[in-house]
Amino acid sequence: MQTKSTCLIVVFLLAGFVWAESESEAEFRKPLADGLPSLPPMTARKSWTGKLSVHDGMMWKDDKPFFPIGYTFGTGDKGSAQAVAMGCNAVHFDVGWWICPAPGPVPEEAFNGIKEEIRLAGQWGMVAFPLLSGHYVPGWFIDKYSKADNSPLGSDGNSTGNWFPYSTHFKPMREEIPNFWRAAAKALTPEPNVMSLNYWNEPGYGGQWDHGDQFADYRPFAIEDYRRFLKDKYKTLEALNAVHKWNYASFEAVQPPRKPEELGRRAWLEWMRYGQDYFAGFFEWEDGILRKAAPDIRLANKKMASLVDSSAASNGLNWAKMGRCEDIFGVNIYNSGLTYRNVAEAARGYAAGKPVVFFEFNVMPTNAEGRTPGRVRTDLWAPVLGGAKGLFIFCLTDDPAHGLLSDKAVSPEARKEYVRFTQAVGKYQRELESPNSPARIAVLYSTTAALQTPGGKIPNYITQTYDLFRNSHYAVDFLPEEFCNSETLRRYQLIVLPSYSILPPKELAALGEWVKEGGNVIAFGHSLSTNEYLEPVDPPAWMGLIDRKPGPGDRAGMTIEKIAVLLRPYHQPQTQISGVEMVSRRTDPDKKLIPGAAMDVKTAGRVLAVHNDHYPTIVQSADGKVVYCCFDSLYSEPMRSLLEGILREVLHLKQNVRMTNDDVTDAGVWVSPRQDYKDANLRYLLVINTHMRKRTVTLELVEKDAKDPGWRFEKELLNNLTPIDGSPEHPTFRLDAQQAYLLRLRK
């Protein structure tokens, strides 16, 4: 029997325990940095019950659309709780090769800590995307094999190959690292909150964006692999010499070129394509090992965005080939909002219907001063607008360059914008994971041109061409050269050829057949002017050109001065052009040219524009299928507007949706329509006002007709935006500066 004093002691002890527990709970719930929300209590942890899948171009959780949003790193109770408080639902982190304690098969218990990390994330409701980091090499391997002697060797004699301390040709690595892959696949795939594993971190075969002239791999054992490839392909030395137009003494004497012109363009293209094929083959080899070890595994890579920068040739990445074995098309990129959007849209073109995920990105530059609230909003929303179906921001740490928790990297005010973004994405899963509306226009990405002209020239022409059409609010795809076939081409009404585009014979034939069947082409200066070896060729007959040569007097820079009447509403004075070609034929070639005087020329087809040397500079073929722009495909607002006029008035291809200011398409307001995955009468329009000022714009939707009742604005979801004028079919809005909006449209 207890006495009264004993009961009082117990009461006081219990009160002290509760007070101490409350104090501990309060301490746990403190945000990890100013500007972040309070953490949920530890009692929020629950057993994971979700079911994950990937199909129909989307990720799914419990049979509902799932858009993974989260940070790289930031696991454990505190990191997971903070991420959940910010609306995140996923986490991405490393699993290093160095987890393997010794050579040979890896014991299952080596992964116990990683599995606990994954399970803890699951208790907070987080989906895990572990990365198999092959660049974290075990000490026992380093001790045995020198990195300095076995790393990828660049054409300049220096180490290369991003995140590859050892060459992919190095046999000891190829013999040992599969033990890590098999063990990781078997240990981690059964965890129910793992969506996918990543093959490697930011893989690169050669030089990255700041080493666009450093090619790979020139280690002696890598060159031996190349020689074996040539011997298997050509069988005889005579056959190899005939194709390369060279005089190799033997297969053993073959040396890969270190510069494009060194052994001729044929040998160069062979070497560049071999590098891309070999590097993609490395991951196909890894893929086979992983899937054999764990048949239910889902896989992604973390490809760098080399196709839009100066390393398009040097880095050895071919997105089309590397994407063949992925279930989720993964990308890493650090740049700006426009590039994030372009890269997301390019990735959709290469992903072949698979969901696109940015596994690392962040607002740039790498300091708190540059990460203003407005820039945070536009840069974070840009890849979503571009069609990314999953995002991981780098990173939930106190890293002084990128860490969300560092005041040097992010200010408290900007952190609030990060939180608003992740909370919005976490909330609107269905809307943002639903597929982007299909495009009717595609811009060719010529891999051959990029390989034959290393550096940023070709990627620059391609991306600026893309912007010329997409910024007029058309849905546009990137069309990889590798996908230029009849099946892919028939999805589109218009194919655009940037300047200096090249197509191999098979792909060129497919494009020609598509044009004959009724497809339209807009081609820019010097496109299809050479074969794949940069040897000059006549333009294909379907282009409808009677001639093509440099302009008289080598006057490459001009101004468009006279245009067809129907294009005048779209023409702006001083529309400047460069790289001018002449596709007309002078009727009196011996007549002396007088500056400023009209030139007598013969032109096939319809003249749409003339420049200040008074000969045609935009010509439509006689059959109306091809529009040839006799100049470089570089971006300017006047050129964007003129091309919009050609699409709308000449080719009769109007936008399905656009936002206008004073009846003119507002290129600084970005739009991205998407179709609800389930309801055919429901659409969404993601909008970003990139202007640093407010904009008044009117939404134009597809016009009504007898068969289509048309679309109307129903509601804005992110900021409660309401029309200031107009009807539901044509509402007018006042958009805040550097702000994103999500409109719901109903038929």
Side-chain angles (χ1 to χ4, degrees):
M1 184 176 179
Q2 292 182 333
T3 63
K4 184 176 182 180
S5 59
T6 303
C7 290
L8 287 173
I9 292 171
V10 172
V11 169
F12 282 124
L13 287 172
L14 288 172
F17 175 76
V18 171
W19 177 82
E21 188 175 6
S22 298
E23 183 183 43
S24 176
E25 183 72 19
E27 185 66 26
F28 175 80
R29 297 192 66 184
K30 287 183 179 179
L32 299 185
D34 292 342
L36 300 182
S38 297
L39 279 60
M42 284 287 290
T43 54
R45 285 174 47 175
K46 308 288 183 185
S47 297
W48 174 267
T49 58
K51 176 187 174 185
L52 304 176
S53 59
V54 179
H55 57 84
D56 298 326
M58 299 166 62
M59 286 170 281
W60 304 78
K61 181 174 179 284
D62 297 328
D63 298 321
K64 295 179 180 178
F66 177 70
F67 188 116
I69 181 67
Y71 283 81
T72 304
F73 308 138
T75 54
D77 276 321
K78 290 283 284 188
S80 297
Q82 184 67 82
V84 168
M86 295 188 292
C88 299
N89 57 24
V91 64
H92 179 55
F93 58 90
D94 289 314
V95 182
W97 179 18
W98 59 20
I99 203 172
C100 302
V106 184
E108 185 177 348
E109 56 267 23
F111 292 90
N112 285 349
I114 300 297
K115 288 194 285 188
E116 285 303 313
E117 193 173 3
I118 291 170
R119 290 167 185 173
L120 181 61
Q123 290 171 7
W124 286 102
M126 304 280 279
V127 176
F129 290 76
L131 163 66
L132 304 183
S133 298
H135 63 278
Y136 291 141
V137 183
W140 51 262
F141 192 90
I142 296 172
D143 291 342
K144 189 173 182 180
Y145 303 106
S146 165
K147 290 183 183 179
D149 296 330
N150 299 297
S151 64
L153 188 64
S155 52
D156 57 0
N158 296 313
S159 292
T160 185
N162 207 42
W163 298 106
F164 272 88
Y166 293 90
S167 169
T168 54
H169 296 266
F170 186 48
K171 289 183 180 179
M173 185 193 76
R174 295 182 70 107
E175 291 168 357
E176 196 57 55
I177 200 170
N179 292 314
F180 166 58
W181 294 337
R182 292 187 193 97
K186 291 177 181 178
L188 305 183
T189 301
E191 297 299 320
N193 65 313
V194 169
M195 178 66 83
S196 73
L197 301 186
N198 284 83
Y199 299 104
W200 207 279
N201 181 63
E202 296 181 347
Y205 188 63
Q208 55 179 326
W209 64 273
D210 58 342
H211 289 80
D213 57 352
Q214 186 193 49
F215 308 97
D217 183 350
Y218 295 84
R219 286 286 178 199
F221 48 74
I223 294 174
E224 282 300 318
D225 283 349
Y226 178 57
R227 291 167 178 162
R228 279 191 288 271
F229 159 77
L230 292 176
K231 196 167 187 178
D232 289 343
K233 178 177 179 179
Y234 291 103
K235 310 302 181 187
T236 68
L237 190 64
E238 291 74 18
L240 171 63
N241 283 329
V243 172
H244 282 201
K245 293 189 175 180
W246 206 252
N247 189 28
Y248 302 111
S250 66
F251 281 104
E252 291 70 27
V254 171
Q255 288 289 333
R258 294 173 183 262
K259 294 181 180 180
E261 301 84 3
E262 186 176 333
L263 300 175
R265 290 291 180 166
R266 290 170 176 261
W268 177 257
L269 187 59
E270 182 94 75
W271 174 237
M272 289 290 97
R273 285 175 173 169
Y274 166 78
Q276 290 194 342
D277 287 337
Y278 180 87
F279 199 55
F282 177 86
F283 292 101
E284 291 179 339
W285 171 64
E286 179 183 357
D287 181 84
I289 292 170
L290 291 167
R291 294 189 192 276
K292 185 176 180 180
D296 294 331
I297 199 171
R298 293 180 289 265
L299 293 163
N301 219 321
K302 294 179 67 172
K303 301 175 294 297
M304 291 182 291
S306 57
L307 81 167
V308 299
D309 64 33
S310 61
S311 66
S314 66
N315 207 13
L317 297 180
N318 183 302
W319 276 19
K321 294 173 181 176
M322 292 185 70
R324 289 185 299 221
C325 54
E326 293 179 276
D327 301 291
I328 295 168
F329 195 90
V331 178
N332 276 24
I333 181 171
Y334 294 87
N335 207 291
S336 67
L338 175 61
T339 303
Y340 291 159
R341 182 186 183 186
N342 282 350
V343 168
E345 291 175 343
R348 286 196 292 112
Y350 281 84
K354 300 167 185 175
V356 172
V357 173
F358 279 23
F359 282 101
E360 284 185 34
F361 86 114
N362 203 340
V363 180
M364 301 290 280
T366 58
N367 56 65
E369 292 74 22
R371 289 179 171 125
T372 62
R375 181 150 194 177
V376 169
R377 288 192 295 270
T378 55
D379 282 17
L380 291 182
W381 278 106
V384 185
L385 186 135
K389 300 304 180 184
L391 295 172
F392 291 92
I393 303 168
F394 189 88
C395 54
L396 191 56
T397 72
D398 59 0
D399 175 78
H402 290 293
L404 183 71
L405 309 182
S406 168
D407 288 341
K408 292 182 179 180
V410 186
S411 69
E413 194 62 30
R415 281 191 194 106
K416 296 176 183 178
E417 296 298 338
Y418 279 86
V419 173
R420 292 188 184 104
F421 170 72
T422 51
Q423 288 179 339
V425 175
K427 180 178 181 180
Y428 295 107
Q429 295 277 288
R430 173 174 181 162
E431 293 83 354
L432 300 178
E433 189 70 8
S434 284
N436 290 63
S437 297
R440 295 171 292 164
I441 301 171
V443 174
L444 177 72
Y445 190 101
S446 174
T447 306
T448 299
L451 294 179
Q452 286 283 28
T453 309
K457 177 180 177 179
I458 298 302
N460 185 50
Y461 279 124
I462 293 169
T463 54
Q464 292 203 42
T465 305
Y466 187 83
D467 293 344
L468 282 170
F469 294 87
R470 193 276 318 281
N471 286 7
S472 290
H473 298 186
Y474 286 93
V476 186
D477 283 345
F478 280 84
L479 173 63
E481 169 189 305
E482 294 80 1
F483 297 166
C484 187
N485 53 55
S486 59
E487 180 180 357
T488 303
L489 288 169
R490 66 170 61 106
R491 302 174 190 167
Y492 303 107
Q493 294 176 239
L494 173 68
I495 299 299
V496 181
L497 304 180
S499 290
Y500 298 95
S501 292
I502 300 170
L503 280 174
K506 182 180 177 181
E507 287 74 16
L508 181 59
L511 180 62
E513 286 300 314
W514 176 81
V515 172
K516 291 179 182 178
E517 293 171 3
N520 291 116
V521 169
I522 293 182
F524 286 88
H526 309 283
S527 57
L528 306 184
S529 62
T530 73
N531 65 14
E532 58 188 327
Y533 306 119
L534 298 192
E535 298 162 348
V537 295
D538 293 331
W542 52 261
M543 288 183 104
L545 304 178
I546 60 172
D547 201 1
R548 180 161 62 175
K549 57 184 177 293
D554 198 28
R555 287 157 61 93
M558 297 287 174
T559 301
I560 293 178
E561 292 191 345
K562 181 181 179 182
I563 59 170
V565 173
L566 76 172
L567 296 179
R568 288 178 182 173
Y570 302 89
H571 179 54
Q572 298 179 30
Q574 298 301 311
T575 302
Q576 296 181 343
I577 55 178
S578 61
V580 174
E581 293 178 309
M582 187 177 188
V583 297
S584 302
R585 186 173 293 157
R586 291 178 60 190
T587 56
D588 188 359
D590 296 326
K591 182 179 179 181
K592 183 178 180 179
L593 295 177
I594 301 174
M599 189 183 302
D600 295 326
V601 296
K602 177 183 179 182
T603 304
R606 177 188 186 188
V607 176
L608 299 177
V610 173
H611 57 58
N612 55 300
D613 259 359
H614 303 287
Y615 58 85
T617 195
I618 303 179
V619 179
Q620 186 181 20
S621 61
D623 61 9
K625 294 179 180 180
V626 178
V627 173
Y628 192 81
C629 303
C630 314
F631 45 81
D632 291 341
S633 53
L634 297 175
Y635 188 90
S636 70
E637 265 301 295
M639 182 55 61
R640 179 207 62 78
S641 180
L642 181 56
L643 288 168
E644 181 184 9
I646 291 173
L647 263 63
R648 290 175 64 90
E649 310 300 337
V650 177
L651 299 180
H652 307 292
L653 186 61
K654 295 186 177 182
Q655 302 92 326
N656 286 331
V657 58
R658 68 171 178 160
M659 283 195 160
T660 61
N661 180 280
D662 194 23
D663 295 325
V664 176
T665 301
D666 193 330
V669 175
W670 298 352
V671 300
S672 175
R674 54 199 67 203
Q675 175 65 53
D676 185 78
Y677 82 101
K678 193 174 183 179
D679 186 347
N681 295 319
L682 183 60
R683 288 183 182 174
Y684 313 102
L685 183 67
L686 188 57
V687 178
I688 303 178
N689 176 22
T690 68
H691 295 287
M692 299 183 75
R693 62 188 185 277
K694 292 187 175 184
R695 297 291 283 178
T696 299
V697 293
T698 298
L699 174 63
E700 291 185 7
L701 300 170
V702 176
E703 295 294 330
K704 297 179 181 180
D705 58 36
K707 297 181 180 179
D708 187 348
W711 294 86
R712 67 181 188 279
F713 168 75
E714 186 174 84
K715 185 179 182 180
E716 197 280 319
L717 304 175
L718 300 181
N719 296 289
N720 295 315
L721 179 72
T722 56
I724 61 172
D725 199 1
S727 65
E729 290 79 13
H730 295 283
T732 298
F733 300 102
R734 183 70 169 166
L735 306 180
D736 288 334
Q738 294 183 294
Q739 185 59 275
Y741 300 91
L742 182 59
L743 280 59
R744 188 164 66 203
L745 310 175
R746 181 76 66 176
K747 181 177 283 190

